[in-house]
Amino acid sequence: MRAPLRAFTIAALAGGAALGYSSVVERNWFALRRFEVPVLPAGTAAIRVLHISDMHLTPGRHRLLSWLRSLEALAPDLVVNTGDSIAHEQSVQPLLDALGPLLDRPGVFVYGSNDLYSPIPANPLRYLWDTSAEKHSRHVPDLPWAELGAGMAAAGWMDANNARGRVKAGGLDIEVGGVHDSHIKKAHYEDIAGPADPTADLRLGVMHSPEPRILDQFAADGYDLLLAGHTHGGQVCVPGYGTLVTNCGIEPARASGLHRHPAAGEPDRPWLHVSAGLGTSPWAPFRFACRPEATLLTLVPRIG
Ligand SMILES: [Fe+2]
């Protein structure tokens, strides 16, 4: 075999192997991340918050549903779902069934754009130079987002889409403020604007997309902990380098995991956890060097 042909063959085999690995193996290789967050008042007992996001559930994702079902064993005090839960009209009931006993625990949810609009084919490489923000040409939702929300709300979870409220979890009085998805122009921070209650044990901000302008508003209003999803952690990352794209305004270094917002500044600025999420668009069904994940955040008293 001549050298160019040999090189082409090797490259094709490597590409095929990477595609198979990312779409079959890593896409179903779910990880539970754990972080300790010093965000509670002194003397408060720790509580556990399970953060799930971006399931993009479609029929047949039995491994995802099974893993989701197993999270009840963590016995979280609070569950937060930051949206993009479904990607198919028949996914609501399977998702609610998989959440199962987690729905009996205190919970909070917001929607992502994919809860309203079914996925359409798109070139995944476009995320290298653009985001999906405000590119939606459709204005009439075709997915059963209301049924999804009704199912979670019926169980007692707080609908935090452009809403503020109070949640009791783990013996704590938590003020929650949340916004809908900014990528379809449904985030209305003005509906929840105003200083968060300093008498609450914790001030929790919840959103789908971690847009810096919205994070800034939560920070200015005195929220302690901000939870978001949407980025998929980049979904396809470069080993040894990390995230290439975030599909929103946040920089790649904070595309997933626990950070502060702003990234640098005062010591008491809020904590920010961005989930890399559990799924993918059905039109880009692969993850590479970016395992699908849920996160157990153990909230403990502030240091000092
Ligand atoms: Fe998503």
Side-chain angles (χ1 to χ4, degrees):
M1 192 182 291
R2 275 188 264 169
L5 182 59
R6 189 184 311 129
F8 175 80
T9 304
I10 291 170
L13 288 172
L19 195 61
Y21 165 80
S22 60
S23 61
V24 176
V25 178
E26 186 164 325
R27 185 171 175 237
N28 291 298
W29 188 18
F30 305 105
L32 179 70
R33 312 288 184 199
R34 294 174 187 261
F35 293 103
E36 196 167 90
V37 194
V39 73
L40 298 180
T44 309
I47 68 164
R48 295 190 291 183
V49 178
L50 176 64
H51 183 188
I52 56 176
S53 197
D54 294 86
M55 278 80 79
H56 292 261
L57 188 62
T58 49
R61 296 229 56 204
H62 303 298
R63 289 196 180 103
L64 170 56
L65 291 172
S66 169
W67 196 80
L68 195 56
R69 202 171 286 120
S70 75
L71 296 176
E72 163 61 15
L74 299 171
D77 299 293
L78 175 68
V79 185
V80 177
N81 176 4
T82 46
D84 275 6
S85 300
I86 58 172
H88 191 277
E89 61 187 3
Q90 291 173 4
S91 292
V92 172
Q93 198 55 49
L95 177 67
L96 296 175
D97 290 345
L99 289 172
L102 286 173
L103 286 171
D104 295 331
R105 298 178 177 279
V108 174
F109 69 93
V110 290
Y111 299 120
S113 61
N114 287 279
D115 294 316
L116 281 68
Y117 298 100
S118 58
I120 52 176
N123 176 9
L125 293 178
R126 82 180 195 279
Y127 294 117
L128 289 171
W129 62 83
D130 200 3
T131 78
S132 59
E134 300 171 3
K135 297 292 190 301
H136 289 262
S137 55
R138 295 174 293 171
H139 300 288
V140 179
D142 61 342
L143 288 182
W145 62 273
E147 183 188 338
L148 169 68
M152 293 186 281
W157 283 18
M158 176 189 161
D159 180 344
N161 290 285
N162 301 322
R164 271 171 85 156
R166 218 75 170 197
V167 171
K168 299 269 188 206
L172 298 188
D173 173 25
I174 302 174
E175 177 167 43
V176 178
V179 291
H180 202 303
D181 192 354
S182 55
H183 275 217
I184 47 174
K185 298 183 179 177
K186 286 186 176 291
H188 294 295
Y189 193 88
E190 67 275 14
D191 291 353
I192 65 163
D197 185 352
T199 69
D201 294 315
L202 175 72
R203 290 145 288 275
L204 174 65
V206 181
M207 73 216 82
H208 179 61
S209 180
E211 290 297 341
R213 71 176 187 279
I214 294 175
L215 297 171
D216 289 345
Q217 290 171 299
F218 275 116
D221 278 338
Y223 286 81
D224 305 298
L225 174 63
L226 309 175
L227 301 183
H230 175 71
T231 64
H232 297 193
Q235 193 166 314
V236 174
C237 296
V238 178
Y241 178 82
T243 305
L244 294 172
V245 297
T246 69
N247 190 25
C248 64
I250 204 164
E251 72 280 12
R254 292 190 295 163
S256 66
L258 184 68
H259 298 91
R260 306 294 287 265
H261 186 81
E266 298 300 317
D268 63 345
R269 62 200 190 281
W271 291 93
L272 167 65
H273 180 259
V274 180
S275 171
L278 281 159
T280 69
S281 164
W283 295 103
F286 36 76
R287 295 184 72 121
F288 190 78
C290 186
R291 288 173 63 189
E293 67 178 34
T295 309
L296 190 67
L297 300 162
T298 301
L299 310 189
V300 299
R302 294 173 189 270
I303 300 164

